[in-house]
Amino acid sequence: MTANAPLPEPEPSISSEDFLKFKEFFYRRTGISFEATKRYFVDKRLVERIEATGTGTFRGYFTLLRFQASGEELQQLTNLMTVNETYFLREEYQFRCLVDSILPEIVRHRIGSDAIRIWCIPSSSGEEPYSIAMYLMENWPGISKWDVEIISSDIDTGILRRARAGRYSARSVQHVPANWMAKYFKGIGEEYQLRNDIRDAVEFTRVNLCEPAETLAYRNFDVVFCRNLLIYFDDLSRQTAAETFYEAMNPGGFICLGHSESMSRISSLFKVRKFPEAIVYQKSREAK
Ligand SMILES: C[S@@+](CC[C@H](N)C(=O)[O-])C[C@H]1O[C@@H](n2cnc3c(N)ncnc32)[C@H](O)[C@@H]1O
């Protein structure tokens, strides 16, 4: 380096105080709670966005995050902070429970022919709602009689784009039986493209589960799948989520959580239903 060469810009740093400020802000906006053990993960992404936006310091970047009218930067950062791990037929026993126990009970009590509505939140890249659609096609005789609407939501706009595209890696589809692969997917290079009619069976929407104004329009669901999201929330956001689901569900509706999540520990709004295939939660049939 010659004597006159400009020194490289120092990398912006995130102090412990900055981390706490950010943690509190991000928690209020998304319900996601970062423990101190996640510090490296969070700092790395903040530094990346400070550099990409040219704000230069945490202070400048934090101002942008809080006051940008469009909220675009908050969305960009949220997309980086989410954990999108998922795959087809994950926790398959719940899909078996859906077709063998939950749906038969729902249609037994249904008066009229309204569509059966399923809300799958969070969708991540779509493997879960598409697994539900294929499972119904393959295993539920009622599919020829009942109209089913599957709405699937996530806070991450980048992952929703991937969900809508319906193209997956070998790892994503590793638990899909060979005959389903042949029927529903087309190999394209190293990837697998999902058939259009299954893609069209799911409507994807951007929703922040912790923002009441964003969930108001989500009503009259018979089944909710909310798997592997509440593990990222603290007790308060979990309770808010439980109340949101309660409002969103029809009386007698069912909710399925991830295997390490339990509604009984969060809220008494739902009763436990032990079916042969899985334990799920139900809103009382007498509820409004
Ligand atoms: C681990 S994935 C779970 C995907 C799928 N349900 C499964 O179990 O395979 C968690 C997803 O939750 C989404 N997420 C995080 N906070 C959210 C919020 N407040 N509202 C909606 N989705 C959220 C993330 O973007 C991520 O895609």
Side-chain angles (χ1 to χ4, degrees):
M1 198 189 290
T2 63
N4 292 333
L7 288 170
E9 289 284 320
E11 194 175 85
S13 63
I14 314 296
S15 68
S16 299
E17 199 185 326
D18 296 340
F19 173 76
L20 289 178
K21 264 194 216 156
F22 172 73
K23 175 181 141 88
E24 173 59 23
F25 165 80
F26 197 69
Y27 166 71
R28 273 190 281 106
R29 294 301 187 91
T30 65
I32 300 173
S33 174
F34 290 118
E35 298 308 321
T37 52
K38 284 279 168 1
R39 175 85 193 261
Y40 176 75
F41 172 91
V42 172
D43 284 10
K44 197 165 174 290
R45 280 152 185 80
L46 283 174
V47 167
E48 187 182 324
R49 290 311 301 164
I50 291 170
E51 285 173 345
T53 52
T55 42
T57 58
F58 173 79
R59 197 168 168 190
Y61 182 67
F62 197 45
T63 305
L64 176 71
L65 266 190
R66 283 177 303 162
F67 300 115
Q68 185 184 43
S70 67
E72 215 173 284
E73 183 51 35
L74 178 59
Q75 183 65 59
Q76 286 274 355
L77 184 70
T78 304
N79 292 0
L80 285 180
M81 292 290 186
T82 52
V83 178
N84 305 119
E85 163 70 9
T86 187
Y87 48 88
F88 279 93
L89 299 180
R90 184 179 194 179
E91 296 171 44
E92 187 191 341
Y93 59 92
Q94 288 192 336
F95 304 133
R96 173 60 57 197
C97 185
L98 177 71
V99 297
D100 286 355
S101 297
I102 295 177
L103 290 176
E105 184 165 323
I106 287 172
V107 299
R108 218 171 31 249
H109 289 92
R110 172 113 331 165
I111 300 161
S113 58
D114 285 354
I116 290 160
R117 283 167 54 77
I118 300 177
W119 191 17
C120 189
I121 176 170
S123 69
S124 187
S125 34
E127 286 89 331
E128 184 175 300
Y130 289 143
S131 294
I132 295 172
M134 287 190 290
Y135 221 86
L136 296 185
M137 296 282 283
E138 292 292 323
N139 295 313
W140 189 47
I143 197 72
S144 54
K145 180 168 173 220
W146 294 91
D147 189 13
V148 179
E149 293 171 3
I150 306 175
I151 290 127
S152 196
S153 313
D154 202 284
I155 196 173
D156 180 337
T157 50
I159 210 72
L160 285 168
R161 271 194 296 278
R162 281 177 42 197
R164 289 186 190 104
R167 190 172 288 199
Y168 295 99
S169 66
R171 190 189 155 277
S172 255
V173 297
Q174 63 183 319
H175 300 295
V176 179
N179 59 331
W180 288 26
M181 283 307 294
K183 195 165 166 186
Y184 293 108
F185 291 88
K186 187 173 162 199
I188 299 185
E190 307 259 281
E191 295 186 317
Y192 299 89
Q193 178 64 51
L194 184 62
R195 222 168 70 181
N196 279 348
D197 58 340
I198 300 295
R199 282 171 63 202
D200 292 345
V202 180
E203 182 188 341
F204 289 98
T205 60
R206 191 243 171 232
V207 171
N208 176 358
L209 183 60
C210 294
E211 184 50 67
E214 292 185 23
T215 55
L216 267 183
Y218 291 76
R219 290 291 181 265
N220 302 115
F221 288 99
D222 298 295
V223 187
V224 171
F225 279 82
C226 179
R227 310 193 310 172
N228 305 303
L229 170 58
L230 301 181
I231 41 173
Y232 301 103
F233 286 3
D234 72 347
D235 285 348
L236 189 63
S237 345
R238 286 184 189 130
Q239 263 168 36
T240 311
E243 282 156 24
T244 298
F245 289 136
Y246 190 82
E247 293 303 321
M249 285 160 67
N250 282 334
F254 291 90
I255 177 161
C256 304
L257 302 181
H259 75 277
S260 60
E261 298 161 326
S262 155
M263 187 56 87
S264 324
R265 268 185 260 134
I266 303 172
S267 156
S268 55
L269 284 171
F270 300 91
K271 66 179 177 194
V272 179
R273 290 292 306 272
K274 289 184 181 160
F275 288 117
E277 310 81 12
I279 294 175
V280 301
Y281 303 90
Q282 187 177 28
K283 175 170 171 174
S284 163
R285 213 172 290 294
E286 283 74 47
K288 296 250 165 34

